[in-house]
Amino acid sequence: MSSNSRFSTKIERPRRDKKALAILLLLAVAISAVSSGCGGVAKGTGLLTSGSTPGPNPVPTPTSNPIPSVVSMSPNIVTAPGPGITFLTVNGSGFVPGSVVQWNGSGRATTFINSSQLTALIGASDLATAGQAAVTVSNPSPGGGTSGALAFRILAPIAFASNRALDGSNAAATTYNIWITRDFRVVPLTNLSNLNTDSTLPAWSRDGRKIAFMSRRALDGSDAADANLTDNIWVMNADGSGATALTRMTAVSSFFPHWSPDGSKIAFESARVLTGGDAADANLTYNIWVMNADGSGATALTRLTAKNASSFSPVWSPDGSGKIVFHSMRALSGSDAANTNNTFNIWVVNADGSGETALTQFTAKGADSFSPAWSPEGSKIAFLSTRALDGSDASNTNNTTNIWVMNADGSGAAAVTRMSTTGVFTIPSLPVWSPDGNKIAFDSRRALDGSDAANTNNTPNIWVVNADGSGATALTRFTAANAFASIPVWAPDGRRIAFVANTALDGSNAVNMNGAVNLWVINTDGTGAIPLTRLTAPAVNPVFPGVDTDDPAWQP
């Protein structure tokens, strides 16, 4: 190579290096502009995104999700145990594709329908036991948040007697069966169809596993009536299986079954002979009986034979003391004789038949005390009475019935309601204590303003009053002629009351089509009344009419 060639090489390499370096610098500047330009432009694109600012290097800002709002859901109530899968529809606003329905703060599989509606899958375990669940909706970030809560109610099962058609259709049947609310339906537990096989007065065992009831069905359990239309005490499992006659009488009936707190015994009333044989007492005198839960060992706790000395409506003390309260026309001396003027008083007896004691001590005509009910802890007894409001041995003005409360030993009796106007009370069901013992539910024809006057058209409504007599409030407010709401039963959680009514299914102040009676539930503040049955057919009712008991019965 010549010296010129070598010189030439030395000159050209630096030039090529400078050119390559310039190209590299230009690339670096371009890459830097793309990757670190004014915030938010997607790498590798020059496209604007939502919220970007136009310019040489447009910069989008992320969309901020709204805080959702919920206004309603369907369904919003179910009876435990619920179905396997429940499709819950939630309505509101501000929903986005990432919205999640929360069940007590835990997310459930959610489908986005649109900005105002979502659906979610609620599992069987969520609806297995009675209670209340908070339903909310949460939206993801950025922005987002959680809505306020809607209350989803899970009711304990309610057993009741109804003469509706066994297929559940809107039609009347020829006989009454025991039914139960289950998920979104009502289903029959007894499935009798022949005339005079009526089954009524369901009573839950304390553990909720069994139901005692009375029935006129044949003792062999077939779909036939007892030959003499005798009512016997039966028991079955809560699903309707294993129905068994505990009393097996053909000559005399037994009524009003009531479980002991431990579920080992059942008290009832019967006019059977004191020997326990299949025959009626000569004077048809009713006594209080107790038997084992399998029907064995039936024993008369009261042993009266005198005419008009009968005893009725046994109720076991819930505190485990083994006492049973009832009302009786027996003489206050405790002898086998009727009380003066056949006046009813409240009595108590030990479960072995000892210690019979009259807790009220009245003899005046019309000064009756009846239908006792223990408070939940067993320290007090509520009862109905037509006695004078001053507590004297006299009838109340117009023989008006009021609710009274006394201590378990009979002391401290006080009128909780103080009505004296004709017709302000029905012949009501038992006064029903709230689970916490602070309130009493009842039905009454009193004026809706709470005054001592009859309601418009003498329409009965459901009322609640504090146990000390204060705060009487009408939960239903019907005034329509021939309408009624009656037989309240408190839910175990204390939040709702079941009752029966013949009012319009839309909740308006009118009588239902054909006067059909339905089972309803209402919040204890008077809101949220809904029918659990929706019958409109003639002559169909969800409860046995005219029974002085706490039917329907809510599972404990």
Side-chain angles (χ1 to χ4, degrees):
M1 178 178 296
S2 67
S3 59
N4 289 338
S5 296
R6 288 193 299 271
F7 181 79
S8 175
T9 299
K10 291 178 182 178
I11 296 298
E12 290 297 321
R13 285 185 65 184
R15 289 179 180 173
R16 286 196 297 268
D17 290 344
K18 289 179 180 180
K19 186 176 182 179
L21 180 60
I23 293 172
L24 289 173
L25 288 172
L26 287 173
L27 286 173
V29 170
I31 291 170
S32 175
V34 171
S35 62
S36 60
C38 301
V41 179
K43 291 184 179 181
T45 72
L47 300 177
L48 291 176
T49 60
S50 175
S52 64
T53 302
N57 294 304
V59 182
T61 57
T63 300
S64 180
N65 289 321
I67 297 175
S69 175
V70 292
V71 296
S72 66
M73 60 183 167
S74 180
N76 61 8
I77 191 168
V78 67
T79 302
I85 293 291
T86 296
F87 293 89
L88 181 66
T89 299
V90 180
N91 302 303
S93 61
F95 301 156
V96 298
S99 295
V100 176
V101 172
Q102 304 275 343
W103 182 271
N104 287 330
S106 179
R108 296 294 180 265
T110 303
T111 299
F112 174 79
I113 305 300
N114 54 50
S115 62
S116 60
Q117 190 171 86
L118 304 170
T119 60
L121 299 181
I122 307 301
S125 61
D126 294 324
L127 307 173
T129 57
Q132 186 163 294
V135 174
T136 57
V137 170
S138 62
N139 281 354
S141 59
T146 301
S147 70
L150 297 173
F152 190 104
R153 302 164 185 148
I154 309 163
L155 303 180
I158 304 173
F160 60 99
S162 178
N163 68 334
R164 72 185 298 175
L166 286 173
D167 62 5
S169 63
N170 185 21
T174 59
T175 192
Y176 279 81
N177 280 281
I178 305 298
W179 292 68
I180 192 172
T181 56
R182 182 176 294 160
D183 52 67
F184 303 108
R185 305 167 294 132
V186 292
V187 295
L189 298 184
T190 58
N191 283 273
L192 306 174
S193 58
N194 282 324
L195 187 65
N196 294 323
T197 58
D198 298 301
S199 298
T200 57
L201 287 123
W204 291 93
S205 62
R206 185 67 67 89
D207 62 9
R209 296 180 179 179
K210 293 185 179 293
I211 299 173
F213 59 102
M214 66 184 219
S215 182
R216 292 180 177 178
R217 70 190 297 182
L219 292 174
D220 63 5
S222 62
D223 188 3
D226 177 83
N228 294 318
L229 301 184
T230 302
D231 282 289
N232 279 284
I233 306 298
W234 289 67
V235 70
M236 62 183 167
N237 297 322
D239 63 1
S241 63
T244 305
L246 300 184
T247 60
R248 302 188 62 83
M249 302 290 106
T250 60
V252 62
S253 293
S254 300
F255 302 102
F256 206 94
H258 196 275
W259 293 85
S260 63
D262 63 4
S264 65
K265 295 181 182 293
I266 295 174
F268 61 101
E269 63 189 45
S270 182
R272 66 199 291 186
V273 291
L274 294 175
T275 60
D278 189 6
D281 176 82
N283 288 318
L284 282 180
T285 303
Y286 278 79
N287 282 283
I288 305 303
W289 290 71
V290 166
M291 62 182 167
N292 295 324
D294 63 2
S296 64
T299 304
L301 301 190
T302 60
R303 303 186 64 81
L304 305 173
T305 60
K307 187 176 181 180
N308 296 327
S310 291
S311 301
F312 303 98
S313 302
V315 183
W316 224 297
S317 172
D319 63 2
S321 63
K323 293 184 180 295
I324 295 172
V325 69
F326 59 98
H327 64 261
S328 180
M329 286 190 291
R330 72 184 300 179
L332 293 176
S333 64
S335 63
D336 188 3
N339 190 21
T340 306
N341 292 311
N342 295 329
T343 303
F344 277 107
N345 281 283
I346 306 298
W347 288 71
V348 70
V349 64
N350 295 321
D352 61 3
S354 66
E356 289 179 84
T357 304
L359 300 183
T360 61
Q361 303 258 339
F362 296 95
T363 60
K365 185 176 181 180
D368 297 299
S369 297
F370 52 98
S371 297
W374 293 96
S375 62
E377 80 292 343
S379 66
K380 295 183 180 294
I381 297 171
F383 60 100
L384 303 176
S385 184
T386 52
R387 66 196 287 188
L389 291 173
D390 63 4
S392 62
D393 190 0
S395 173
N396 188 22
T397 305
N398 294 311
N399 208 37
T400 302
T401 303
N402 280 284
I403 294 174
W404 288 67
V405 168
M406 62 183 169
N407 296 323
D409 62 1
S411 65
V416 173
T417 61
R418 303 187 64 83
M419 302 291 107
S420 59
T421 301
T422 300
V424 297
F425 271 83
T426 61
I427 300 300
S429 56
L430 298 178
V432 186
W433 291 88
S434 62
D436 62 7
N438 291 330
K439 295 178 181 291
I440 297 172
F442 60 101
D443 52 59
S444 178
R445 298 179 187 269
R446 69 191 296 185
L448 294 177
D449 64 3
S451 62
D452 188 5
N455 190 20
T456 305
N457 292 310
N458 285 320
T459 304
N461 281 282
I462 304 300
W463 287 72
V464 167
V465 65
N466 294 326
D468 64 2
S470 64
T473 305
L475 300 191
T476 62
R477 304 187 65 82
F478 300 114
T479 59
N482 301 315
F484 71 82
S486 188
I487 315 180
V489 182
W490 222 295
D493 63 5
R495 293 174 174 170
R496 284 163 289 276
I497 291 174
F499 63 98
V500 297
N502 70 342
T503 51
L505 294 175
D506 63 1
S508 62
N509 186 23
V511 176
N512 190 22
M513 187 181 301
N514 293 307
V517 181
N518 282 283
L519 179 64
W520 288 70
V521 66
I522 192 171
N523 295 328
T524 52
D525 63 359
T527 63
I530 59 171
L532 298 184
T533 60
R534 304 187 66 84
L535 304 172
T536 59
V540 61
N541 297 285
V543 292
F544 192 74
V547 174
D548 182 19
T549 182
D550 55 345
D551 179 354
W554 221 314
Q555 185 188 56

